C-alpha cells in the first residue's frame, strides 16, 4: 500500500529538469547531487535537434512539422557539445520536432559524443518511429533516459490529439525501451479534451511499469494558440485535486499548475520551509538564463523555448563564444525583478513566485517585465479594468 504519492511541483512549463531528476532518482536511488537552483551555475541545456515531426499534435508550442531551412548537422552539434562541456553543463535534453527522425542522420553520434563528454543525456520522443532495433541503437549510444509523450489513457482520447495510431505505437515504444534497459517516463499535456482522464493516465503508467509521469498544463503558444487551446483555472484546479487524492507508486511531476492549487498560500509556506531547510538561496521560479538555456535547431540560443524570437536571441551556439553568451547574455531574464512589477511588489508570495512566468507575461502584456497573467490577483485586476 502506498502511504503517500510523490508529487513534484514545477511552475516552469518548459523545463525538463523535474522529470529528469525524478526519473534518475527512481532508477539510481537517492542522489547526493546539489540542487540545480541558483543564478550562478548552469545545469541543463535543451537542444532542439530539428523542427521536423511526423505528427501534428494540436497543442504543440513549437508548431513542429517542417524542418528549418538551415538546421545544423551532426558534426555541428558535436562542436557545440564540446562548448557546453567547457561551461560545466551537467544535463543535456534532446528533442524536436521528433528526434528519432535523425537516427540515421547523426542522432546516435550526438548521444555517444555527449556521453563521452560526461553529460547525462535525456530525450523526448513521440515513440511512433521506435522499434526494438532503434531502441537498442539508442541504448548502445548511451542514452540515459527517454520521455514518451502520450496524451490520453487510450486511443480514443490520445489519437484525436496526436494522430490516428499514435497511442498504440507510443505504448509499444515504452515496452521496447524498458526491454532494452533505457529508463522511461511519460509526458501528458493537459488540454480540455483530456483533462478528465488524468487518473486513468496514472493507472496506465502503473500498468506499463513507468515510474514517472509528467503532467504539463497546456501553454498558449504555437499550435495550441492557433487552435484556441486553453485550460481554465477551474479545470486546472480539478486536475490538481484529482491527482492529490490518488495513491500510486508512480512519481507525478506537475509543470505549470501552481496557480491551480486550491490552497496556494499553504503550498508557498511549505515551499519556503523546504527551501530554507535545504539552504537554497537565489531561488527563482523561472530558470531561463539562470540555470538553463535552449538551443534551436539552427544553433540560435535563447533563454526559453516559449520565447524563441528576435527579441530574445542571444547568439549562435556554433558560430559564437558560448562562454561569453552565458556570462553577458540573458539580461532580459536576469534583470527581471518582481519588486519593480505591480501588483507583485506587494504580494506576500513574491519572493518565491518572482512574478511568475515571463513567457506568459510577454504573450499577454508584450513585456516580460509584467506579471504572470495566470496569477489570480492579476486576473482580478484585468477583469476589473474591463
Amino acid at each position: 500500500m502506498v502511504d503517500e504519492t510523490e508529487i513534484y511541483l514545477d511552475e516552469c512549463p518548459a523545463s525538463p529538469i523535474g522529470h529528469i531528476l525524478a526519473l534518475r532518482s527512481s532508477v539510481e536511488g537517492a542522489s547526493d547531487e546539489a540542487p540545480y537552483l541558483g543564478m550562478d551555475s548552469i545545469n541543463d541545456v535543451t537542444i532542439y535537434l530539428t523542427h521536423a515531426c511526423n505528427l501534428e499534435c494540436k497543442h504543440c508550442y513549437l508548431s513542429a512539422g517542417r524542418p528549418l531551412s538551415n538546421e545544423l548537422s551532426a558534426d555541428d552539434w558535436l562542436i557545440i557539445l564540446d562548448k557546453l562541456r567547457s561551461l560545466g553543463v551537467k544535463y543535456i535534453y534532446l528533442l524536436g520536432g521528433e528526434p528519432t527522425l535523425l537516427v540515421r542522420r547523426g542522432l546516435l553520434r550526438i548521444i555517444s559524443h555527449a556521453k563521452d563528454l560526461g553529460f547525462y543525456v535525456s530525450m523526448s520522443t513521440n515513440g511512433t518511429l521506435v522499434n526494438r532495433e532503434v531502441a537498442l541503437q539508442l541504448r548502445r549510444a548511451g542514452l540515459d533516459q527517454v520521455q514518451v509523450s502520450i496524451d490520453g489513457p487510450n486511443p480514443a482520447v490520445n489519437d484525436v490529439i496526436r494522430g490516428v495510431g499514435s497511442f498504440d505505437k507510443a505504448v509499444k515504444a515504452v515496452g521496447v525501451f524498458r526491454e532494452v534497459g533505457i529508463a522511461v517516463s511519460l509526458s501528458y499535456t493537459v488540454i480540455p479534451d483530456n483533462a478528465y482522464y488524468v487518473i486513468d493516465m496514472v493507472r496506465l503508467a502503473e500498468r506499463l511499469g513507468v515510474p514517472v509521469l509528467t503532467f504539463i498544463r497546456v501553454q498558449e503558444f504555437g499550435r495550441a494558440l492557433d487552435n484556441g487551446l486553453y485550460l481554465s483555472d477551474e479545470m486546472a484546479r480539478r486536475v490538481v485535486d484529482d491527482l492529490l487524492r490518488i495513491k500510486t507508486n508512480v512519481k507525478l511531476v506537475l509543470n505549470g499548475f501552481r496557480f491551480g492549487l486550491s490552497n496556494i498560500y499553504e503550498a508557498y509556506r511549505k515551499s519556503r520551509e523546504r527551501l530554507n531547510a535545504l539552504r537554497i538561496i537565489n531561488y527563482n521560479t523561472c530558470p531561463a538564463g539562470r540555470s538553463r538555456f535552449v538551443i534551436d535547431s539552427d544553433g540560435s540560443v535563447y533563454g526559453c523555448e516559449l520565447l524563441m524570437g528576435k527579441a530574445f536571441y542571444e547568439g549562435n551556439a556554433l558560430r559564437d563564444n558560448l562562454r561569453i553568451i552565458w556570462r553577458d547574455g540573458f539580461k532580459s531574464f536576469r534583470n527581471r525583478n518582481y519588486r519593480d512589477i505591480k501588483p507583485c511588489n506587494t504580494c506576500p508570495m513574491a519572493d518565491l513566485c518572482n512574478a511568475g512566468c515571463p513567457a506568459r507575461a510577454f504573450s499577454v502584456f508584450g513585456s516580460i517585465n509584467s506579471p504572470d497573467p495566470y496569477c489570480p490577483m492579476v486576473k482580478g485586476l484585468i477583469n476589473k479594468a474591463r
Side-chain angles (χ1 to χ4, degrees), residues 2 4-6 202-203 206 243 246-252:
V2 180
E4 186 174 352
T5 301
E6 290 189 53
V202 175
R203 301 310 177 203
E206 292 172 341
L243 294 175
I246 66 173
K247 299 297 182 183
T248 179
N249 286 316
V250 178
K251 295 179 180 180
L252 305 181

Side-chain angles (χ1 to χ4, degrees), residues 5-7 190 197-202 213-215 236-248 252-254 257:
T5 301
E6 290 189 53
I7 296 180
V190 184
Y197 300 95
V198 293
I199 294 179
D200 294 331
M201 187 62 194
V202 175
L213 169 57
T214 299
F215 291 98
R237 192 168 297 115
R238 176 186 174 123
V239 167
V240 173
D241 290 345
D242 284 347
L243 294 175
L244 289 175
R245 282 196 298 266
I246 66 173
K247 299 297 182 183
T248 179
L252 305 181
V253 181
L254 275 62
F257 279 94

Side-chain angles (χ1 to χ4, degrees), residues 97-164:
E98 176 48 47
T100 60
L101 287 168
L102 305 179
V103 165
R104 297 181 180 177
R105 288 184 286 154
L107 175 62
L108 303 176
R109 290 176 58 211
I110 292 168
I111 294 172
S112 180
H113 189 64
K115 290 306 299 176
D116 288 344
L117 293 173
F119 291 114
Y120 189 88
V121 184
S122 180
M123 186 182 79
S124 173
T125 177
N126 60 39
T128 61
L129 304 177
V130 176
N131 54 31
R132 192 174 188 277
E133 180 55 33
V134 168
L136 279 171
Q137 290 176 324
L138 292 169
R139 182 73 180 106
R140 291 174 189 136
L143 185 65
D144 290 293
Q145 60 172 247
V146 63
Q147 184 179 71
V148 178
S149 299
I150 301 178
D151 291 326
N154 54 57
V157 178
N158 175 88
D159 290 8
V160 172
I161 301 168
R162 304 187 66 83
V164 175

